[in-house]
């Protein structure tokens, strides 16, 4: 009996694999390595002492998926696989809609063929768009500002409809806030292709000397120090949130949605200063223009996950900074050394 992690070699997938294996939940990984490396498997084994099966497949390919379900007894799926770069999604909308919707539909159809009922989906706080924080799960959705966000919104709708039509389905939608950090061993972490779009990988690449300086995208927002405020969550807390969601999915039919965030807003400047002081490294920065589509303040109300899943984020912003740096400095070129 195993849980299939699509996109299981990626940033959040690999950390969730570790959390599952450490909790004696067996996992099988499927990944096409479009933004990940098969070398992550050695690291997962080093951390957990277990080496899960890893299939090199594109989960849009139903035939390849069927082979996995035929070979393994898959009791549930956590669907991480998907394209996730906001800017790229504006340039390549069709690729985003094709890949993200197709992969989800393929997985759901093959699950149905094999009588597999539990499905946990990686959604995003991006579905809330520009609304006042803290955001509860009952806030309006469908105010996305880019095709990537719309794929999350559309997949949420597909899953709600699928669960309504099939009372046997057990679906959990997880709306992530801003995942950063790395496993405390420093053996696995985030390894973006090219120049990072997101704040923490940009900071770590400046700190390690790969990039010259950080540009802070605007300091005139209506926030305490003028820079953007987000709800950063340690990726191991997020990973443990998936375990809690799996437990919930086992016991509950239907479709339920949970925010996975800390409930605390942190500004860009606070993050840069915490990173520097915790790690004793300089992060040179300049203040630049606002980035198109950015919001002033986004953070979760995490109460529902606490009440129903019994889960809350435990790690601090200092932990996130320490672990992100530990991963980056030990692996300046990601899994390639
Ligand atoms: C973005 C996506 C979100 C996605 C998340 C992944 C949108 C609108 N945003 O969130 O869907 O899930 O990435 O973690 O769809 N910043 C800088 N300089 C930089 C990079 C970022 O100042 O070089 C600032 C941003 O202006 C923002 C904060 O840092 O205030 C966080 O940015 P980022 O890490 O890119 O995440 P989001 O934009 O919040």
């Amino acid at each position: 009996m195993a849980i299939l992690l699509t996109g299981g070699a990626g940033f959040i997938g690999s950390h969730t694999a570790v959390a599952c294996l450490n909790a004696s939940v067996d996992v099988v990984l499927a990944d096409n390595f479009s933004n990940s490396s098969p070398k992550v498997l050695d690291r997962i084994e080093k951390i957990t002492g277990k080496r899960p099966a890893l299939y090199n497949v594109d989960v849009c390919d139903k035939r390849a998926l069927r082979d996995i379900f035929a070979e393994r007894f898959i009791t549930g799926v956590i669907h991480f696989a998907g394209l996730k770069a906001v800017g790229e999604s504006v340039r390549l909308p069709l690729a985003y809609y094709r890949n993200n919707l197709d992969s989800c539909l393929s997985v759901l159809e093959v699950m149905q063929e094999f009588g597999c009922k539990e499905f946990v989906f990686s959604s995003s706080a991006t579905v809330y768009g520009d609304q006042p924080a803290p955001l509860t799960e009952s806030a309006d959705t469908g105010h996305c500002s880019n095709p990537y966000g719309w794929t999350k919104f559309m997949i949420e709708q597909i899953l709600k409809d699928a669960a309504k039509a099939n009372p046997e389905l057990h679906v959990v939608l997880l709306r992530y806030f801003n995942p950063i950090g790395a496993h405390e061993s420093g053996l696995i972490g985030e390894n973006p292709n090219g120049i990072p779009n997101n704040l923490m990988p940009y900071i770590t690449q400046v700190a390690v000397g790969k990039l010259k300086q950080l540009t802070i995208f605007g300091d005139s927002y209506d926030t305490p120090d003028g820079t953007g405020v987000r709800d950063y969550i340690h990726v191991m807390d997020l990973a443990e949130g998936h375990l809690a969601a799996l437990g919930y999915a086992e016991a509950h039919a239907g479709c339920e949605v949970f925010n996975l965030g800390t409930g605390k807003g942190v500004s860009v400047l606070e993050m840069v200063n915490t990173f520097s002081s915790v790690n004793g490294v300089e992060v040179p920065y300049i203040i630049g223009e606002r980035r198109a589509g950015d919001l002033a303040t986004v953070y979760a109300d995490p109460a529902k996950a606490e009440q129903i899943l019994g889960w809350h984020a435990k790690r601090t912003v200092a932990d996130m900074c320490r672990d992100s740096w530990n991963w980056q400095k030990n692996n300046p070129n990601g899994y390639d050394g």
Side-chain angles (χ1 to χ4, degrees):
M1 273 173 37
I3 303 296
L4 175 64
L5 309 186
T6 72
F11 175 43
I12 303 171
S14 59
H15 287 79
T16 302
V18 165
C20 287
L21 293 169
N22 282 342
S24 299
V25 174
D26 202 7
V27 293
V28 166
L29 317 184
D31 209 297
N32 67 358
F33 308 115
S34 67
N35 189 22
S36 62
S37 166
K39 292 180 182 162
V40 74
L41 206 61
D42 293 336
R43 310 292 184 91
I44 292 173
E45 187 178 12
K46 229 177 192 168
I47 297 169
T48 65
K50 295 171 194 161
R51 192 173 180 89
L54 171 60
Y55 290 84
N56 180 356
V57 302
D58 184 326
V59 294
C60 295
D61 179 351
K62 283 171 70 175
R63 208 178 288 182
L65 267 177
R66 280 192 197 104
D67 288 345
I68 301 177
F69 277 78
E71 272 176 37
R72 312 270 163 181
F73 181 30
I74 304 294
T75 56
V77 176
I78 310 183
H79 184 50
F80 296 104
L83 300 175
K84 62 165 190 176
V86 173
E88 184 183 63
S89 79
V90 176
R91 287 194 309 279
L92 303 172
L94 301 187
Y96 272 68
Y97 289 115
R98 167 63 70 195
N99 181 77
N100 290 3
L101 299 183
D102 230 13
S103 58
C104 185
L105 291 169
S106 298
V107 172
L108 287 169
E109 286 169 355
V110 173
M111 282 174 66
Q112 200 164 22
E113 289 173 25
F114 284 83
C116 176
K117 300 184 180 102
E118 290 155 25
F119 190 86
V120 177
F121 176 60
S122 303
S123 189
S124 166
T126 195
V127 298
Y128 293 122
D130 192 2
Q131 296 186 76
L135 292 151
T136 62
E137 290 83 350
S138 57
D140 223 12
T141 58
H143 303 277
C144 306
S145 56
N146 56 74
Y148 156 76
W150 283 114
T151 67
K152 296 295 181 190
F153 173 78
M154 289 176 187
I155 293 170
E156 285 199 3
Q157 188 61 46
I158 289 169
L159 289 166
K160 286 174 195 166
D161 290 338
K164 212 181 282 173
N166 178 1
E168 301 257 280
L169 262 184
H170 297 217
V171 177
V172 177
L173 311 177
L174 298 177
R175 293 182 183 148
Y176 308 158
F177 282 69
N178 290 55
I180 61 169
H183 188 263
E184 60 182 10
S185 64
L187 286 167
I188 57 173
E190 187 172 13
N191 185 28
N193 276 338
I195 296 177
N197 299 304
N198 298 117
L199 180 63
M200 183 54 88
Y202 209 104
I203 290 177
T204 61
Q205 291 200 15
V206 169
V208 85
K210 288 176 84 174
L211 295 169
K212 192 166 138 257
Q213 64 192 8
L214 171 73
T215 302
I216 294 183
F217 297 142
D219 67 349
S220 60
Y221 285 104
D222 183 14
T223 61
D225 63 22
T227 66
V229 166
R230 296 290 182 275
D231 186 338
Y232 298 94
I233 174 168
H234 195 293
V235 65
M236 284 310 298
D237 277 325
L238 193 74
E240 288 160 10
H242 288 74
L243 260 180
L246 266 182
Y248 181 87
E250 264 169 39
H252 299 85
C255 181
E256 202 57 71
V257 54
F258 297 98
N259 285 337
L260 293 184
T262 66
K264 290 184 207 86
V266 174
S267 76
V268 178
L269 265 178
E270 278 178 82
M271 186 59 86
V272 170
N273 291 334
T274 307
F275 187 92
S276 294
S277 67
V278 165
N279 297 316
V281 283
E282 287 301 307
V283 181
Y285 66 83
I286 55 165
I287 305 293
E289 296 293 309
R290 290 184 180 190
R291 182 172 64 179
D294 270 356
L295 303 173
T297 302
V298 182
Y299 61 91
D301 179 336
K304 185 177 175 189
E306 166 84 70
Q307 280 157 16
I308 298 179
L309 301 180
W311 168 92
H312 65 266
K314 297 188 185 82
R315 294 156 179 94
T316 64
V317 174
D319 295 333
M320 302 177 207
C321 289
R322 185 200 59 221
D323 293 337
S324 288
W325 180 230
N326 192 28
W327 154 252
Q328 177 76 79
K329 73 173 193 291
N330 291 331
N331 306 272
N333 298 309
Y335 292 102
D336 292 320

